[in-house]
DNA sequence: TGATTGATGTACT
DNA sequence: GTACATCAATCAC
């Protein structure tokens, strides 16, 4: 396999902003995981969700600081990994402004870049198309080999797990356009369930599911919500 | 000490 | 479209 120069990690300051700002900034960036045996696995972030502090009824921080959620209340730029439905892992990046107590960005979908075959073999369904290997929070962790052991890890310190700036220019396609919608499966969160905190790259083949915005009459709109160009 | 609950994915009809 | 695996964290006694 071709040797790949490991890119530098994003700085602490990148993550020390509002979760929704960090969420949008993370689109197109590169998750890097160096694993003994598989070498360097990388994938671009295609879809994210922002979660705020205790006031956000959809956020794990709503219950306050617990053993599980401790990383969310810690310094920005660390990983928060938790078990979902007792089956899957989900990968978050801790992000909040200085002075705020908690916040994180859930990585819902990635597109494998380096170590694609290794990522394929890690998946329960290795026959999936590359574009679908990381299309969902659980799939992200399976493909990249991220587990609960990584929770609390500093993502700004480089190997073994870090996030690097976008590796590709996206000037000439519509992937720079950002889709916006409500977060997935947080209906229990009252008014917070409807807030537009799910972001994705328009035209990405790796989205976990389509973006659909509710229209004022309550029916689903057939067109995805469009955001400004970046 | 026991019961419920998910920021889901996969297999199956 | 529906069923269900599978379990840590959390909450109700």
């Amino acid at each position: 396999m071709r040797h790949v120069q490991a890119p530098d990690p994003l700085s602490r300051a990148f993550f020390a902003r509002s979760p929704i700002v960090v969420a949008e900034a993370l689109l197109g960036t590169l998750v890097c995981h160096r694993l003994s045996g598989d070498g360097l696995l990388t994938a671009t972030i295609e879809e994210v969700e922002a979660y705020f502090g205790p006031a956000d009824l959809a956020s794990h921080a709503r219950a306050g600081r617990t053993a599980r959620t401790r990383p969310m209340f810690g310094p920005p730029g660390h990983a928060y990994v938790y078990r979902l439905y007792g089956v899957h892992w989900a990968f978050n990046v801790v992000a909040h402004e200085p002075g705020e107590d908690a916040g994180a960005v859930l990585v819902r979908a990635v597109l494998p870049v380096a170590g694609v075959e290794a990522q394929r073999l890690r998946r329960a369904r290795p026959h999936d198309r590359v574009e679908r290997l990381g299309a969902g929070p659980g799939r992200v962790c399976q493909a990249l080999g991220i587990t609960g052991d990584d929770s609390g890890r500093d993502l700004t310190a480089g190997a073994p797990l870090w996030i690097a700036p976008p590796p590709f220019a996206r000037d000439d396609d519509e992937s720079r356009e950002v889709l916006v919608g409500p977060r997935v499966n947080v209906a229990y969160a009252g008014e917070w369930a409807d807030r537009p905190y799910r972001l994705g790259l328009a035209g990405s083949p790796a989205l976990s599911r389509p973006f659909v915005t509710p229209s004022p009459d309550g029916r689903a709109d057939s067109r995805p919500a469009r955001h400004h160009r970046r």
Side-chain angles (χ1 to χ4, degrees):
Chain A
M1 190 175 82
R2 185 171 64 93
H3 175 72
V4 179
Q5 179 71 36
D8 290 333
L10 293 169
S11 69
R12 182 89 54 212
F14 180 95
F15 302 102
R17 298 180 284 172
S18 164
I20 191 66
V21 172
V22 174
E24 179 166 357
L26 279 173
L27 291 173
T29 61
L30 193 69
V31 179
C32 306
H33 197 191
R34 190 179 292 288
L35 283 166
S36 57
D38 284 339
L40 181 62
L41 308 180
T42 75
T44 52
I45 295 178
E46 306 285 308
E47 180 186 333
V48 292
E49 282 175 357
Y51 288 87
F52 291 80
D56 180 357
L57 297 181
S59 172
H60 288 174
R62 69 187 182 274
R65 190 187 302 241
T66 67
R68 178 180 63 149
T69 62
R70 189 176 66 250
M72 271 190 86
F73 290 82
H78 288 245
Y80 166 48
V81 185
Y82 65 93
R83 187 156 323 248
L84 186 56
Y85 293 99
V87 183
H88 308 287
W89 295 105
F91 173 52
N92 297 253
V93 180
V94 176
H96 53 81
E97 294 182 87
E100 291 293 320
D101 43 6
V105 177
L106 170 67
V107 179
R108 287 192 55 87
V110 298
L111 191 56
V113 174
V116 175
E117 286 313 305
Q119 294 186 51
R120 189 193 297 284
L121 292 172
R122 286 184 164 277
R123 289 275 298 124
R125 298 177 59 185
H127 54 283
D128 273 353
R129 300 170 58 210
V130 177
E131 294 83 4
R132 306 307 294 167
L133 291 181
R139 297 178 182 190
V140 168
C141 289
Q142 224 179 53
L144 290 173
I146 295 170
T147 71
D149 290 342
D150 294 305
S151 198
R153 208 184 274 292
D154 187 356
L155 299 173
T156 68
L161 182 62
W162 73 103
I163 299 177
F168 307 123
R170 290 181 183 266
D171 289 334
D172 56 347
D173 67 18
E174 67 168 354
S175 294
R176 290 190 59 143
E177 195 165 357
V178 176
L179 303 177
V180 180
R183 294 173 292 187
V184 174
N185 285 347
V186 296
Y188 56 85
E191 62 159 315
W192 286 83
D194 302 323
R195 300 197 179 194
Y197 293 158
R198 178 187 176 216
L199 308 175
L201 289 174
S204 170
L207 298 181
S208 64
R209 60 179 69 184
F211 276 75
V212 178
T213 44
S215 54
D217 62 7
R219 296 177 312 174
D221 193 319
S222 59
R223 290 187 309 170
R226 290 280 160 115
H227 204 240
H228 59 83
R229 295 185 77 87
R230 302 204 292 162

